[in-house]
Amino acid sequence: MARVHNFNAGPAGLPLPALERAQRELIDFEGTGMSIMEHSHRGKAYEGVHDEALALLRELAGVPDTHHVLFMQGGAHAQFALVPMNFLGGRSADYIHTGTWSKGAIDEAKLFGAVRIAAQTDATRVPAQSELALDPGAAYVHVTSNNTIEGSQFHYDPDTGGVPLVADMSSDILWKKPDVARYALIYAGAQKNLGPSGVVIVIARKDFVESGRKDIAKIFRYSTFAAANSLYNTPPTFAIYLVRNVLQWMKSVGGPAQIQAWNEEKARLLYAALDGHADYYRAPVEKASRSTMNVVFRLPSEALEEDFVKTASKAGLAGLKGHRSVGGIRASIYNAVTVDDVKKLVGFMEEFARKNRP
Ligand code: PMP
């Protein structure tokens, strides 16, 4: 079997045991004579999977009783719009602007009310708490916890006083155990750390959900999903099934504490390789803002970057091309990427730098 070392930015590599389980169960799910995706979403078999996935999320993310866990659709892009649609309603919200995806959220919010930029940084860093100019009357504060394209990450939970904090955690959800109580709403597409694309995980405070507008279409209200255990309409059953498998794998290896230890080790190895060859590789993000999920770097020239990606791919190291908007190299080292995968990449980087001086 030839599985590559997968550094894709999302959709991204999934843990092999989660895929193997799906393979075993694909044709005949638990002796029912059909695949889980052929089951009714109102039947017992699927309901078991659905509830187990929700319960595992609650357990692994440490979600308190004050918060709902929801499965929604439309990707993080739908959340860019649904958050202001539900909670802005002509008021003003604070957005922390740190990259391409925060810009996406900002543009959608402008359709529903006023947007204040509480802080803005370039691609090299995220702002410190002391740089946040927050409006105490804001409807909410929106932050992108990890900037997937730029490779920067918040290493603190912003303090917003009493103002509800909303976070796009699409690219770092459960990279470690989050402090859920600090957030009014967390959203994340599953396709980086938790499963395939097609399902969005939302963790939202119950009273915040209840405060949402009721004069918008039902399918766009968080309260609809909360009241129906995320079974208001047909959910993406197979995607949720795979999320269940991924969460079960996470639990079996030791849960978020072990995942965090591996993630920190992977990031340490990769940044050490960059810093150790600073005459060749350039890591543009400031040390304090470096992402533990998306490691972004440059080579001495674009031609060398192109060659790096091509040669790496031939060596079984896939998905290293930077986002098309910024170029360069990006190694995404989400939860399913192993320490061994990263060691292989580091070995390749050292050899490439030795062999390919400009
Ligand atoms: N936010 C972040 C932080 C992301 O990384 C992405 C996807 N790369 C998005 C939003 C957009 O997600 P989707 O394609 O699921 O709408």
Side-chain angles (χ1 to χ4, degrees), residues 122-288:
D122 65 16
T124 65
R125 66 188 193 96
V126 299
Q129 174 72 44
S130 59
E131 293 175 83
L132 307 181
L134 298 168
D135 168 12
Y140 58 83
V141 179
H142 181 284
V143 65
T144 309
S145 57
N146 183 70
N147 297 288
T148 324
I149 293 174
E150 294 78 7
S152 63
Q153 186 178 27
F154 280 82
H155 292 292
Y156 66 97
D157 301 292
D159 182 354
T160 58
V163 177
L165 178 58
V166 174
D168 175 0
M169 293 195 187
S170 290
S171 51
D172 67 352
I173 181 111
L174 268 173
W175 83 273
K176 64 171 185 180
K177 194 171 204 143
D179 190 351
V180 173
R182 298 185 66 124
Y183 293 85
L185 192 148
I186 292 166
Y187 63 85
Q191 66 265 24
K192 292 140 192 339
N193 265 347
L194 296 182
S197 59
V199 61
V200 182
I201 282 87
V202 173
I203 301 172
R205 220 171 57 212
K206 291 174 179 171
D207 63 336
F208 190 58
V209 166
E210 276 318 301
S211 76
R213 285 171 69 158
K214 303 288 186 293
D215 59 347
I216 52 175
K218 273 191 208 156
I219 191 69
F220 297 145
R221 295 180 213 160
Y222 292 95
S223 56
T224 301
F225 285 78
N229 192 33
S230 301
L231 287 162
Y232 168 68
N233 69 326
T234 318
T237 53
F238 195 58
I240 292 170
Y241 160 82
L242 275 163
V243 167
R244 191 281 307 260
N245 287 6
V246 170
L247 292 169
Q248 211 167 47
W249 164 79
M250 268 185 78
K251 186 174 171 174
S252 75
V253 298
Q258 179 61 65
I259 294 288
Q260 178 179 359
W262 281 331
N263 283 334
E264 283 173 347
E265 174 66 0
K266 288 172 333 192
R268 189 190 64 74
L269 285 168
L270 212 34
Y271 287 114
L274 294 173
D275 294 340
H277 300 80
D279 58 329
Y280 194 79
Y281 295 111
R282 190 170 61 79
V285 177
E286 287 182 8
K287 282 188 181 165

